[in-house]
């Protein structure tokens, strides 16, 4: 959200005409960040339904830079680092160590494995004992196809993650969960800077405002497309062709 809003602040403001016609308010450089943030919020909502036996942390800063773990879950069935990917509108293939989007290879599997190993090392050091952090990949996509080889990392859809975690066998006692939760909540467990002040509430409010602007623009596009189609009824053939092209562009944007 923070990176999306930073890039958004550098973009020129939409003109009155662009606002009227419902042009997407998200600047091109910020769109991948916007989409990713929406995916993370969807997964966060599912994880927050795990119940009081689990502790869930979001956007856990790791190392000494801006890297973070999308979600960290600690509960009786284990500790999990969750990497979310929003590939809605695309087809995904997963098999062994391969994760492909539209036929193109990605580094998602390796990145998730590396994140799990790093989280295991940091949490174990802070807890004073070996604590396994299992990496998960939670992917939003139109279709996920699994190959014959079992994926090197567990891959789930957002609507599967809660039940999958709850369905595992108990791995930690209630006392262990409370202790690990306390350790995990300390920023110094994960990041070189033990305390970094930020205004999370204000950040979320700004992002929510952008989401509402996007939804409002989508409604305006649909209304404009409908008006174009209805207005084209009384036009000659050439006008109909032109109006049809405008309507298609509006509906497809």
């Amino acid at each position: 959200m923070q990176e999306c809003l930073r890039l958004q602040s550098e973009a020129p403001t939409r003109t009155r005409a662009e606002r009227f016609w419902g042009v997407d308010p998200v600047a091109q450089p910020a769109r991948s960040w916007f989409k990713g943030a929406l995916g993370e919020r969807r997964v966060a909502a599912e994880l927050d339904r795990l119940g009081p036996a689990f502790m869930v942390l979001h956007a856990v800063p790791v190392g000494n830079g801006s890297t973070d773990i999308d979600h960290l879950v600690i509960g009786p069935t284990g500790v999990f680092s969750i990497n979310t990917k929003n590939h809605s509108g695309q087809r995904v293939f997963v098999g062994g160590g391969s994760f492909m989007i539209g036929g193109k290879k990605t580094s998602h599997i390796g990145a998730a494995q590396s994140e799990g190993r790093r989280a295991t090392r940091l949490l174990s050091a802070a807890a004073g004992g070996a604590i396994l952090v299992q990496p998960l990949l939670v992917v939003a996509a139109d279709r996920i196809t699994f190959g014959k080889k079992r994926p090197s990392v567990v891959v789930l859809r957002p609507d599967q993650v809660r039940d999958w975690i709850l369905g595992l066998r108990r791995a930690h006692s209630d006392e262990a969960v409370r202790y690990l939760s306390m350790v995990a909540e300390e920023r110094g467990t994960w990041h070189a800077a033990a305390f970094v002040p930020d205004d999370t509430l204000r950040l979320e409010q700004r992002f929510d405002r952008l989401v509402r602007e996007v939804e409002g623009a989508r409604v305006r596009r649909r209304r404009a497309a409908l008006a174009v189609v209805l207005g084209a009824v009384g036009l000659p053939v050439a006008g109909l062709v032109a109006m049809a092209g405008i309507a298609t562009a509006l509906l497809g944007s």
Side-chain angles (χ1 to χ4, degrees):
M1 286 191 290
Q2 188 172 20
E3 184 62 13
C4 170
L5 292 171
R6 184 189 71 79
L7 294 170
Q8 187 71 12
S9 68
E10 297 174 353
T13 306
R14 286 184 302 163
T15 65
R16 290 179 64 182
E18 288 174 332
R19 290 196 298 272
F20 177 82
W21 288 104
V23 173
D24 190 346
V26 182
Q28 187 64 41
R31 288 181 183 177
S32 62
W33 293 96
F34 180 77
K35 187 176 181 180
L38 290 180
E40 288 187 25
R41 295 203 338 167
R42 180 183 174 188
V43 174
E46 290 292 330
L47 296 175
D48 287 342
R49 294 174 54 239
L50 282 169
F54 290 80
M55 188 200 71
V56 183
L57 296 175
H58 308 294
V60 179
V62 180
N64 53 14
S66 59
T67 303
D68 70 358
I69 298 172
D70 292 340
H71 313 281
L72 184 81
V73 176
I74 298 175
T77 56
V79 182
F80 310 92
S81 63
I82 299 177
N83 194 317
T84 65
K85 299 296 177 186
N86 189 351
H87 295 302
S88 11
Q90 297 175 298
R91 293 187 176 185
V92 168
F93 172 85
V94 185
S98 296
F99 189 109
M100 304 178 71
I101 305 167
K104 295 182 180 179
K105 290 186 178 180
T106 73
S107 59
H108 292 349
I109 296 287
Q113 289 176 316
S114 177
E115 184 174 87
R117 288 192 296 267
R118 191 177 192 182
T120 293
R121 185 175 70 254
L122 293 173
L123 186 59
S124 297
I131 304 296
L132 174 66
V133 179
Q134 180 176 354
L136 304 178
L137 264 174
V138 180
V139 183
D142 275 9
R143 182 177 179 181
I144 302 177
T145 302
F146 291 89
K148 294 181 179 179
K149 291 186 178 179
R150 185 176 180 177
S152 306
V153 172
V154 173
V155 178
L156 303 164
R157 297 191 309 269
D159 60 341
Q160 295 176 317
V161 62
R162 175 178 174 271
D163 289 342
W164 188 89
I165 291 175
L166 290 174
L168 296 175
R169 297 178 61 182
R170 176 177 280 272
H172 300 297
S173 67
D174 293 340
E175 293 76 12
V177 171
R178 285 194 290 271
Y179 173 67
L180 291 175
S181 298
M182 179 183 68
V183 172
E185 285 182 315
E186 293 293 329
R187 190 182 181 107
T189 297
W190 310 102
H191 201 271
F195 175 75
V196 177
D198 53 21
D199 191 345
T200 303
L201 178 59
R202 179 172 172 78
L203 180 70
E204 291 181 347
Q205 288 173 338
R206 289 172 56 206
F207 189 81
D208 285 340
R209 186 162 59 248
L210 179 58
V211 170
R212 289 194 297 271
E213 289 178 8
V214 170
E215 292 171 349
R218 186 179 297 114
V219 171
R220 281 185 172 274
R221 285 199 301 275
R222 289 173 180 170
R223 288 176 178 172
L226 180 60
V228 166
V229 172
L230 293 176
V233 173
L235 292 178
V237 175
L240 283 172
V241 172
M243 286 296 186
I246 295 173
T248 301
L250 287 170
L251 287 170
S253 59

